[in-house]
Amino acid sequence: MARHARRWLCLLAALAVAAGVGACKTSKTGGGSASGSGSGSGGGGGNDPGSGWGSGSVVTPSKGECGREKQVVTFKTEDGVKLEGDFYPAGEKKKAAVVLLHMIPPKYNRQSYPQKFIDALTTRGMSVLNLDRRGAGKSGGDAKEAYRGKKGGLDAKAAFNFLAGHPCHIDTKRVVFVGASNGTTTALDFTVAAATDPTVEWPKALVFLTGGTYTENQNQISKHKELLDSIPILFVYSKAERTWSVAQQDNKSTVWQFKEYEGGAHGTKMFGAKPESIDEVAKFIAAAVKSEAYN
């Protein structure tokens, strides 16, 4: 079935949910990528600012050229929370991008991701947005809202809209979200919501660094299997925390991968405990977006 037709089925299913009839489990279409020009609403534009998930985030992309130097950037979510992050442009236009979502705020922030991991992505030709989630680092907002309720997904949507409005003209159909610990919650919430939001694309791929029951705070993977089956997902976990991730193998997706490491390193701490994981995760992402330099 064509991607546009699937979007309409998903939207109709969402209306059915509102009426108490059923749930949307249909894959998202590719149309309607966010392409905001900057300071106004992000995404597809033309939305009522009070219309909920489908309304555009306030995006303030860098005014600079698409170079290779790190940019400290700020932008707002559609519920008015100011977020800050580090943006590492690929140096060329129309490249894939990776959004990094750190472990639980406010204890952790974007500094949790080691520079070696970011370098492993940029050297493979991808831009990287390393974000302080709401309530963490230099971002505003309530930390608990980052993973409880729907507002955490708005952080990911604002990140997507920032990328869509940046002068590098990111290929919005090739954006990967990496979540560490309960950063996986935000990544999953955005993915599920994006299935019925015509202003954004759903992720090209996902990486869950130590997912757990918290990943499913708002959305159970088993209830969105048809949607998620079409998205490559890499589950990275330690032997000590394997239970939840290994259980996902029961979904029998042909595009999900599982990588277990000895020990008990959690989330982004895996990169320090098992340095080889940096290259292995970067290779998965680059292959998913078909970067020309994924080896």
Side-chain angles (χ1 to χ4, degrees):
M1 185 181 295
R3 290 167 67 90
H4 287 285
R6 286 201 296 265
R7 173 185 288 283
W8 281 110
L9 285 175
C10 211
L11 289 171
L12 289 171
L15 291 174
V17 171
V21 176
C24 173
K25 297 183 179 179
T26 308
S27 298
K28 174 183 176 290
T29 77
S33 66
S35 58
S37 61
S39 60
S41 64
N47 294 299
D48 181 349
S51 62
W53 180 270
S55 60
S57 306
V58 177
V59 183
T60 309
S62 167
K63 301 299 182 182
E65 295 296 325
C66 183
R68 290 188 179 273
E69 294 186 4
K70 181 181 80 171
Q71 305 166 9
V72 177
V73 299
T74 60
F75 45 90
K76 286 186 178 181
T77 65
E78 63 188 36
D79 64 331
V81 176
K82 184 178 180 180
L83 304 179
E84 182 175 297
D86 295 326
F87 180 61
Y88 301 80
E92 299 178 50
K93 295 183 178 181
K94 299 300 292 181
K95 292 291 185 178
V98 183
V99 177
L100 306 181
L101 302 167
H102 58 76
M103 296 192 288
I104 188 168
K107 182 177 180 180
Y108 296 96
N109 56 39
R110 70 188 194 259
Q111 301 303 321
S112 301
Y113 281 95
Q115 189 62 45
K116 287 184 178 180
F117 178 58
I118 295 170
D119 291 343
L121 298 172
T122 57
T123 56
R124 287 174 167 85
M126 295 173 282
S127 295
V128 176
L129 176 59
N130 188 15
L131 180 68
D132 276 341
R133 297 163 68 195
R134 64 179 62 206
K138 294 186 178 181
S139 291
D142 183 341
K144 290 184 178 180
E145 290 182 348
Y147 51 91
R148 293 181 182 173
K150 297 182 179 180
K151 292 186 177 180
L154 298 182
D155 293 356
K157 181 179 181 181
F160 178 92
N161 284 338
F162 166 81
L163 294 172
H166 195 275
C168 279
H169 301 294
I170 300 298
D171 183 350
T172 54
K173 292 184 179 180
R174 294 195 298 150
V175 177
V176 176
F177 283 79
V178 179
S181 189
N182 79 7
T184 59
T185 312
T186 295
L188 179 60
D189 288 352
F190 170 74
T191 303
V192 171
T196 54
D197 184 347
T199 71
V200 297
E201 299 289 342
W202 68 38
K204 180 67 175 179
L206 296 168
V207 177
F208 291 159
L209 303 174
T210 318
T213 55
Y214 43 79
T215 305
E216 299 177 284
N217 278 353
Q218 283 72 243
N219 293 285
Q220 293 183 14
I221 288 178
S222 62
K223 292 185 177 180
H224 301 281
K225 187 175 183 297
E226 188 172 347
L227 161 66
L228 297 171
D229 268 354
S230 65
I231 300 174
I233 304 177
L234 175 63
F235 296 81
V236 180
Y237 50 94
S238 67
K239 187 173 183 179
E241 295 186 277
R242 71 193 303 268
T243 303
W244 181 86
S245 296
V246 170
Q248 305 312 312
Q249 295 180 14
D250 292 341
N251 288 298
K252 302 185 185 304
S253 171
T254 60
V255 294
W256 295 1
Q257 297 181 31
F258 298 83
K259 185 65 180 179
E260 180 176 304
Y261 293 91
E262 291 292 330
H266 183 86
T268 45
K269 293 182 180 180
M270 183 68 75
F271 293 138
K274 302 292 180 181
E276 66 272 22
S277 65
I278 291 177
D279 202 49
E280 289 170 347
V281 173
K283 282 184 176 181
F284 167 84
I285 294 172
V289 301
K290 293 182 171 56
S291 169
E292 64 276 12
Y294 71 88
N295 290 318

